[in-house]
Amino acid sequence: MKRKRTSPRTECSPHTSSVNKRPVADRYSHWRVQDQSGGMCDISQAEGVDPVKLCDHLCELWAKRELAELRTEARLGFSGLQEPLSGLLCLLEGCPAATRGKTNSLGQCILAEFARWLQDHPHISLKEQPDEQVSNLQLRALNLLAEAQPSFVDLLLDVYQLGCVDRGLLLAHVDKLQTSGLYKEAILMSTKLGLQSELDVEKICVPLILQDKLSLVESYVRGHPHLEEWLVKLLDSWCSPEFSVFQLKRQYPHLGFSQHQVERLQPKMLSKQVFRLMQLFSLDSALCPNSVTKRKLDSLKYLMHKTFVEKGMSEESWSDHVQATVAESPELQAQLIGLLVKYRQFMTAAQWSLRYGVPKERLPHGVWEMQQKLPLALQADSEDDSRSRESWEPPQSDRDRYYQLPVGRESVHFVQTLEELELCREVVLQSGSLVGVDMEWRASFGTVTCQRVALIQLATPGQVFLLDLSAADFWQHPRIVQTIRALFSDPTILKLGYGMSADLKSLFTTWPEFRDEPLKVDGILDLLHVHKQMQRSCRGGGGQQSRVVEVSEGPSEKGLSLLVQQVLGKPLDKMEQLSNWERRPLRNSQLRYAAIDAYCLLDVYLTLSQDPACYGLPADLRCMPSSQNTNGKENKKPKEKAAQARCSVGTSEDSQPASSAPLAQAEETMLMVPQELRVVCDNMLQGLGRYLRSLGVDVLMLENNDDHRVAAELARAEGRVILTCGQPYHTLKSQVGEGRCLALDCSEKARDQAVQVLRHFRVQLTPEDIFSRCQACNGDQYMKLPRDEMARLLKERGLMEKPGEVKDEENWEEQSKPITHPRYSPHCRWAPASDLDPKSLTFPSGAELQLHTVPPGLIPRIPVFFICTTCGKVFWEGSHFERVVNQFLDILHITEDSATSSNHF
């Protein structure tokens, strides 16, 4: 459905073609050529089809959008060409140029059909042509690439073997493309032909980076180490404080810059790309000092906000991270002092300035004076003394407020040696034992995707073992790898965790041995899935005495802390969660936190097992599958489940390594339909919101002037998931429940973001979901209005032109063939005709039918109109449906019924 057409010839559907109704003899009259006697003969008897006439005929079919007929007659025409390879170039040369912004063109369609036809005619090749003819054909193919037809590149390279052309000629052709301003065509051709080592990388790549086409440059340099380093160094140099976007623009005066392109060149956006490319190409961070400094400065700002605004980090943890972040950088040391003054922490700023010896001239106003007033005891660095004096027992206020470790300090074993590891093995690896498993690694604040494990916590009833992985001679010893492998592979040992996929990813980062020899995972119960089942059971009314376990319960608890609060009555103290777990010695508060995080899993499991029905859980938690039907419908038969599982689409960001396949299978969730996904898009993702609405997802979008906190309010009030990007993610994530906030890469296009969202939530998209929701207002109820009724309403309101007064609207084609019957039936709610007030033309929602948006010339063509009862917008079947289908073909789930329906468009 669409409200307004963009072309006068895109509304005609292939199945309405009148060509199919003509006799076969007449259908090919366009291609007949004269024989030697001057008479007419069929293509089967002629010397060959005239390429010019064939091109005209195909252009006519393309204009009418008779695509099926076009493909059929194109293949027949290829067979009739006397010189198919030369004739194909004639066809492409005669095709109209591709319209900018269009995803396909007539030339692309012809070329793709010729490639398929060529598979059935392998004897047609350049090998059968004389050398002079081959050179002529290749030159003509190169000239086609000089046009703005990037979609031709792959097929022309294959068909005409352009890689065999003289390198000097190819390089000259690339230079010609660049001189003409066709940078995209130049880099595509250079990449396909492998010309990277013979071209000026800066000349060919920088214009495309400035035009926000970094993905093309990335493909160009991939596989060439020196070019990969060049790209990362270039982008990092643009992150320097001395870099000027406007000075760079003056170097390329012929390039037009939009505001979006200028914003993409800001250090914040560039540093993200630098780190992404650095990880993608496995490059040393020493190559990008500007980006590293900026990322560390961003980490400092986050630490300040987390500590002095949210009060969510202990002073000791904050100090650990500050030291690791600032290190020996004088610039970051000065920035640290400035940030402390900004948060009015003058005494702390004076202490840190003394510790780092920041020169007086670099100190903010008031810090030097505060240094002189500090007592000698505060001037000295007594951090190590405070670590050794820290008590094991937490303050009484914390004991009253938070869940406490039920075992004493003597039952918490810090494992650093092989002798201590053997004691751990004797206890933990007993058949039939129950083990709580957790892992800690240093918080990276987004600098890397996955960190090496620094501490592994294994809790059994009455004891906790903390495996210290800071010493290389211990964590790299084969014995500890054997211990981990034996623990995770033993099905008789029940391992309890919470969100164990992240733990296992870090295990694979820590020990490459688990990739070389895949780690077998068996006997795991992830309480994260148990927690989700509790929430679903409560919302669905499962269990007569189910406790209230909504995600929004509690002040700001989420994840494991929320589960512990709901089951055991008190949350976890998460002040040490963001500790620097790589620094030794660990503080008592860190050891206590680590032990609690593992031991609470045992208490939660044992409590749930005593009365699982109270929480809406099955009697045996061990038998509960980790994936549950999230759509509230009855479980399907095993065969249907298996078929549905095979259709499940995952996301590359969330996919497990190959060695964790058993866990990945255990975590596979049932698919959901778009109508079940309810989201709220931050005002930075309005384009994404419009895409998701067009696919049937329930989307609310913030306005440009809305505060980000509005998203959290809507998410809590209506049970929605927040979609956001950038800095607001951390704030919004802390205000809603676990898994209710998804961060997206704002550098990606809205279409790619939509695909990521659908894959992340495993949404099964079908053609019937497209346009099942109003893009303008998010309504999901339509009313069907027949053509006769629409015509009557237009006449009554004086909106129907009299005969002879109908204007030739540029958006509508009067001569188009009518759609004889309605075909599209979206997955939506349908309103009865009685909902429309015949006098006021309003719906119960108060929305008025927007008759003025319906062109009168459209009435003879469209049998049924669709009206949104929420806003009154009018929609009808059109080519926009086909374009959306083509955009999402890679994730579209098409059944036999939906395939038949979609073929009509």
Side-chain angles (χ1 to χ4, degrees), residues 401-454:
R401 181 179 178 182
Y402 299 111
Y403 168 87
Q404 298 299 307
L405 186 65
V407 299
R409 176 66 178 87
E410 67 282 357
S411 299
V412 178
H413 310 283
F414 194 68
V415 181
Q416 296 176 293
T417 66
L418 294 179
E419 291 76 13
E420 294 168 333
L421 179 62
E422 291 306 316
L423 173 62
C424 172
R425 288 174 58 92
E426 292 177 5
V427 176
V428 172
L429 297 183
Q430 292 184 14
S431 179
S433 61
L434 182 66
V435 182
V437 181
D438 192 31
M439 302 177 196
E440 304 294 347
W441 49 84
R442 179 188 170 190
S444 60
F445 307 113
T447 56
V448 293
T449 55
C450 194
Q451 290 277 62
R452 190 178 70 84
V453 177

Side-chain angles (χ1 to χ4, degrees), residues 34-62:
Q34 291 185 346
D35 59 18
Q36 294 180 354
S37 62
M40 301 297 295
C41 61
D42 286 335
I43 59 174
S44 59
Q45 301 170 347
E47 294 181 357
V49 170
D50 184 351
V52 176
K53 292 184 178 180
L54 176 60
C55 181
D56 292 340
H57 182 54
L58 297 181
C59 287
E60 178 185 352
L61 295 176
W62 177 262

